[in-house]
Amino acid sequence: MSDLQVPSRLTFRVPAIAVLAALLLAIGAIPFAFGAPFFYVIFAVPLGLIVWIVRYRTTADANGLTVRRALTKRALPWSSLKGLRLTKRAGIRAVLKDDTEVPLPAVRTRHLPALALISGGRLDDPLAPASQD
């Protein structure tokens, strides 16, 4: 049996096909945008959606987690994490040593085994079989 190869980085993001939906929204807004003066600002909505889709992500590597939102970026080293908390809607929040919580964009409960693998043992894999002592 070969050893499991661990990637150096994992990125959790909204699928890029979602940009197509924003572009279709922009096309649908054309009649309204040219219907009256200054209605062209309606194109800010699909543009904002595209920026959000492209930026919104969580990246995990050997150093820790990097959380990106539309306009902000925050690095969370593994040493600053106390653990993870599950939300009601299958989302994940990082719990820091000072008990503050940081939502992890685009990370769901199904991603926990991958996060445990890339963390190098700092996080427990909830799906791993319990060790028999």
Side-chain angles (χ1 to χ4, degrees):
M1 182 179 232
S2 65
D3 290 340
L4 185 64
Q5 292 184 348
V6 179
S8 62
R9 175 185 297 174
L10 289 175
T11 301
F12 305 98
R13 62 176 10 157
V14 176
I17 194 73
V19 173
L20 180 62
L23 292 174
L24 290 174
L25 180 64
I27 291 170
I30 289 174
F32 298 106
F34 295 107
F38 300 108
F39 272 19
Y40 60 86
V41 296
I42 200 159
F43 288 124
V45 173
L47 181 62
L49 279 173
I50 291 171
V51 168
W52 180 81
I53 291 165
V54 170
R55 293 272 307 166
Y56 189 80
R57 74 181 85 170
T58 300
T59 304
D61 58 18
N63 299 323
L65 300 170
T66 304
V67 176
R68 286 184 185 236
R69 300 219 176 260
L71 301 174
T72 61
K73 176 182 172 181
R74 183 171 182 184
L76 303 172
W78 293 117
S79 60
S80 71
L81 292 180
K82 185 177 182 180
L84 298 176
R85 188 176 75 80
L86 307 176
T87 65
K88 291 181 181 179
R89 298 182 67 193
I92 305 291
R93 291 178 177 261
V95 181
L96 304 178
K97 299 268 184 190
D98 62 356
D99 288 331
T100 59
E101 294 184 3
V102 178
L104 301 179
V107 178
R108 300 290 174 248
T109 53
R110 67 179 178 267
H111 300 131
L112 286 176
L115 272 177
L117 184 65
I118 198 128
S119 74
R122 294 177 191 99
L123 297 175
D124 294 331
D125 183 357
L127 301 179
S131 62
Q132 303 290 332
D133 288 331

